[in-house]
Amino acid sequence: MTGIKKIAVLTSGGDAPGMNAAIRAVVRGAIYNDLQVMGVYRGYDGLIKNDLFEMTSKSVSNIIQQGGTILKSARSKEFRTPEGRKLAHDNLVQNEVDALVVIGGDGTFAGARIFGLEFNFPVVGIPGTIDNDLYGTDYTIGYDTALNTVIDAVDKIRDTASAHSRLFFIEVMGRDAGFLALRGGIASGAEAVLVPEIDTDYQHLDTFLRNGFKKEKSSSIVLVAEGEKIGGGAIKIAEKVAQEHPNYDVRVTILGHIQRGGSPSAYDRVSASQMGVAAVEALLDDQKSIMIGMVNREIVFVPFNKALKNKKSLNPDLLRLIDVLSI
């Protein structure tokens, strides 16, 4: 066992449903192991501004069902500088904090990795991002809830699409990753999916529209990840399609930030709870500069360097499934 007596926990980057469940698990997992816990408001910015406070078991009562994060989140330009990180470290030392748990995505972990190396400070990360794009883990907190939000929205849109025989382009989040669009497309019965990982040009889409949509269908749905390769997102693509295919009644819906909000699913709550406790136990086991991941529903420890250096790939079988099922 290490000499760790007190840990701090923060959330950073984009919020994701289930972050509160993870905070709860970190706090109660620490208290179970006779550790003190400090919460940090507004991520790394809170570390720099010394915005830390003591957390108890009661601090995390009645939050497991809440979306967002009770610790708030913010992006910190100052933490990207050596001076900012030194100030953050000085504040942790001043508060007698021995280790840090960070909940967030790749940007959060990049900062955590540098911070840990500069000051030899124990940091463990919990993956919280709806994009599910971190290498080394099958799953990130918030992805399941966001996926179900997408499916629910597309189901509702298909009702009106069917009523008017319309072609809908629906944009979902995923600037650099198409995991949400791909699984959302399969689960909602979309006819096509545009993702950043596949270099789809407009000609390919145009051919698909001419040949693939000649069938008698009451509606058609194309799911578009915001980082798709054609450019311009769902709005620009739909405008071009409407001009070149006047026989289609084209509409666009951008789901936006509704994908981030909402009460987390049971799967998100349970997985976040597992990861939160695992993060505390990893620190007590002398682990540092690692991400807590899940592979085949089992907890794994992934070095920050490995999680950040490698790119997570889409499942090619799921890509093929879209083509098979869209006939």
Side-chain angles (χ1 to χ4, degrees):
M1 300 286 284
T2 67
I4 291 176
K5 301 294 183 185
K6 184 188 289 188
I7 68 171
V9 58
L10 61 81
T11 52
S12 177
D15 61 299
M19 279 186 165
N20 282 326
I23 295 167
R24 174 180 179 269
V26 169
V27 171
R28 292 192 171 173
I31 293 170
Y32 179 85
N33 285 282
D34 297 321
L35 303 178
Q36 292 178 277
V37 193
M38 301 286 285
V40 184
Y41 275 127
R42 296 182 301 279
Y44 293 129
D45 190 56
L47 276 186
I48 292 171
K49 294 177 179 174
N50 201 22
D51 202 353
L52 284 72
F53 66 101
E54 186 176 354
M55 298 189 78
T56 64
S57 183
K58 188 176 180 180
S59 302
V60 292
S61 294
N62 199 33
I63 68 168
I64 195 171
Q65 78 280 9
Q66 295 177 21
T69 162
I70 63 166
L71 294 179
K72 310 301 181 183
S73 187
R75 305 186 190 278
S76 175
K77 290 183 179 179
E78 196 174 352
F79 193 77
R80 297 178 184 177
T81 68
E83 296 78 14
R85 293 191 293 272
K86 184 181 184 305
L87 188 54
H89 180 258
D90 290 345
N91 288 332
L92 286 172
V93 172
Q94 178 188 325
N95 285 278
E96 299 181 332
V97 173
D98 305 305
L100 179 64
V101 176
V102 299
I103 306 169
D106 54 358
T108 300
F109 293 166
R113 176 181 171 275
I114 294 171
F115 183 79
L117 287 173
E118 283 180 338
F119 302 101
N120 192 29
F121 198 85
V123 187
V124 169
I126 299 174
T129 166
I130 66 170
D131 291 339
N132 196 36
D133 59 346
L134 284 166
Y135 181 87
T137 182
D138 293 341
Y139 161 82
T140 62
I141 295 168
Y143 174 61
D144 185 67
T145 304
L147 185 58
N148 280 287
T149 297
V150 169
I151 293 166
D152 183 62
V154 176
D155 286 349
K156 289 178 169 64
I157 291 167
R158 192 181 284 278
D159 288 345
T160 189
S162 297
H164 297 275
S165 299
R166 285 171 174 160
L167 165 60
F168 262 88
F169 287 87
I170 303 174
E171 185 173 299
V172 302
M173 285 184 169
R175 184 180 66 251
D176 301 311
F179 297 96
L180 204 54
L182 179 56
R183 284 191 179 266
I186 293 171
S188 61
E191 280 69 30
V193 174
L194 303 180
V195 295
E197 293 85 347
I198 305 300
D199 194 13
T200 305
D201 58 17
Y202 181 77
Q203 188 59 48
H204 180 84
L205 176 62
D206 185 68
T207 302
F208 179 73
L209 289 169
R210 294 180 189 281
N211 300 329
F213 285 178
K214 287 182 178 178
K215 307 168 289 294
E216 287 296 323
K217 285 196 172 185
S218 60
S219 66
S220 294
I221 301 290
V222 177
L223 238 59
V224 182
E226 60 187 351
E228 50 70 38
K229 295 295 187 184
I230 294 175
I235 292 176
K236 292 294 184 182
I237 294 171
E239 286 175 354
K240 192 166 185 178
V241 168
Q243 288 176 359
E244 300 188 8
H245 299 271
N247 51 315
Y248 290 127
D249 188 1
V250 179
R251 293 291 187 275
V252 178
T253 298
I254 298 176
L255 297 187
H257 284 78
I258 68 165
Q259 296 160 90
R260 289 199 185 280
S263 182
S265 66
Y267 189 80
D268 270 325
R269 297 183 197 192
V270 173
S271 300
S273 299
Q274 289 177 277
M275 290 182 178
V277 171
V280 174
E281 293 177 347
L283 286 170
L284 291 173
D285 239 0
D286 273 332
Q287 304 248 26
K288 57 184 178 180
S289 293
I290 60 163
M291 174 188 77
I292 305 297
M294 294 193 81
V295 175
N296 297 324
R297 304 205 175 201
E298 297 289 333
I299 291 291
V300 296
F301 304 130
V302 186
F304 280 149
N305 190 47
K306 186 176 180 181
L308 294 167
K309 182 180 178 182
N310 298 287
K311 184 172 176 60
K312 188 173 180 179
S313 301
L314 291 178
N315 185 336
D317 292 335
L318 294 183
L319 288 168
R320 178 177 176 273
L321 199 57
I322 286 284
D323 291 335
V324 172
L325 297 178
S326 65
I327 63 171

